[in-house]
């Protein structure tokens, strides 16, 4: 059952659509939209995030909540997980496919379409304080780590290979 109408959603302090959906669906497959940002520094290195649930490197970001735009979700997630405010987002790519089915350690299963942005503009200090994060680190195109989170491997490698903006894969 829907907890909020669209008009009430933005006013809710406990925006947690996926958590509410899991109360009904349990661990069964649900479909989500993930929004992430390839943050590039002045040395042309990309910021990756080491996940606390599996120790793999991924693109900072997270799930779109109802009523949010893709950009709003990406900005919110980077503030929450990285501690920075990203600006001047450009669409890098939209990703779907078999590698977007994610099985989490807690047994939750999602099929997550991904909207990936890229930016070289951000404010704030990068933090590893979020419980979902072990570490943040910048990597050059030729130093991308091997242990990538499978759903994020394609966009990370596309960036490393110098792919153009606006990919649909």
């Amino acid at each position: 059952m829907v907890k909020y109408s669209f008009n009430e959603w933005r006013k809710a302090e406990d925006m947690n659509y996926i958590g509410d959906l899991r109360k009904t669906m349990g661990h069964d497959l649900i479909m989500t939209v993930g929004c992430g940002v390839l943050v590039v520094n002045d040395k042309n290195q990309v910021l990756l995030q080491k996940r606390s649930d599996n120790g793999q490197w991924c693109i900072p970001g997270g799930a779109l909540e109802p009523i949010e735009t893709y950009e709003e979700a990406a900005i919110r997630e980077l503030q929450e997980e990285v501690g920075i405010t990203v600006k001047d987002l450009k669409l890098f790519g939209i990703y779907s496919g078999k590698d977007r089915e994610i099985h989490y350690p807690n047994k939750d299963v999602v099929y997550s379409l991904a909207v990936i942005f890229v930016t070289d503009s951000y404010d704030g200090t990068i933090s590893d304080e979020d419980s979902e994060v072990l570490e943040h680190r910048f990597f050059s195109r030729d130093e991308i780590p091997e242990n990538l989170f499978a759903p994020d491997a394609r966009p990370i490698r596309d960036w490393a290979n110098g792919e153009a903006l606006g990919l649909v894969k």
Side-chain angles (χ1 to χ4, degrees), residues 55-106:
Q56 296 174 328
W57 292 97
C58 68
I59 298 170
L64 178 77
E65 293 281 356
I67 309 301
E68 281 185 311
T69 66
Y70 302 125
E71 285 181 315
E72 289 170 338
I75 291 166
R76 175 183 51 78
E77 286 287 346
L78 268 80
Q79 287 171 335
E80 291 173 3
E81 293 184 3
V82 186
I84 60 174
T85 301
V86 291
K87 301 180 287 188
D88 302 324
L89 300 179
K90 294 173 186 65
L91 180 64
F92 181 77
I94 299 172
Y95 292 81
S96 60
K98 292 180 181 180
D99 60 349
R100 302 296 315 163
E101 183 177 317
I102 305 167
H103 295 259
Y104 289 100
N106 70 352

Side-chain angles (χ1 to χ4, degrees), residues 33-168:
V33 177
C35 299
V37 182
L38 296 163
V39 178
V40 180
N41 67 12
D42 57 359
K43 297 177 185 174
N44 201 30
Q45 298 171 315
V46 70
L47 180 69
L48 297 182
Q49 174 177 291
K50 194 170 197 178
R51 300 173 58 94
S52 63
D53 61 353
N54 61 19
Q56 296 174 328
W57 292 97
C58 68
I59 298 170
L64 178 77
E65 293 281 356
I67 309 301
E68 281 185 311
T69 66
Y70 302 125
E71 285 181 315
E72 289 170 338
I75 291 166
R76 175 183 51 78
E77 286 287 346
L78 268 80
Q79 287 171 335
E80 291 173 3
E81 293 184 3
V82 186
I84 60 174
T85 301
V86 291
K87 301 180 287 188
D88 302 324
L89 300 179
K90 294 173 186 65
L91 180 64
F92 181 77
I94 299 172
Y95 292 81
S96 60
K98 292 180 181 180
D99 60 349
R100 302 296 315 163
E101 183 177 317
I102 305 167
H103 295 259
Y104 289 100
N106 70 352
K107 307 290 187 222
D108 286 352
V109 181
V110 301
Y111 178 71
S112 183
L113 305 171
V115 178
I116 306 298
F117 296 97
V118 64
T119 188
D120 60 4
S121 180
Y122 65 93
D123 290 324
T125 302
I126 295 168
S127 170
D128 297 334
E129 297 299 315
D130 188 86
S131 64
E132 297 178 14
V133 176
L134 293 176
E135 171 186 3
H136 289 100
R137 190 185 315 166
F138 282 98
F139 293 92
S140 65
R141 292 182 192 273
D142 60 350
E143 297 176 332
I144 299 298
E146 292 294 320
N147 61 329
L148 297 176
F149 183 54
D152 287 350
R154 279 192 296 148
I156 292 168
R157 290 188 180 121
D158 285 345
W159 175 85
N161 292 330
E163 294 284 347
L165 298 178
L167 299 172
V168 178

Side-chain angles (χ1 to χ4, degrees), residues 24-40:
T24 301
M25 296 294 297
H27 298 297
D28 289 346
L29 176 71
I30 61 172
M31 190 170 185
T32 64
V33 177
C35 299
V37 182
L38 296 163
V39 178
V40 180

Side-chain angles (χ1 to χ4, degrees), residues 1-9 17 20-21 24 66-67:
M1 173 175 273
V2 176
K3 188 174 180 180
Y4 304 106
S5 71
F6 285 135
N7 292 332
E8 296 169 320
W9 186 260
Y17 178 74
D20 290 345
L21 189 58
T24 301
I67 309 301

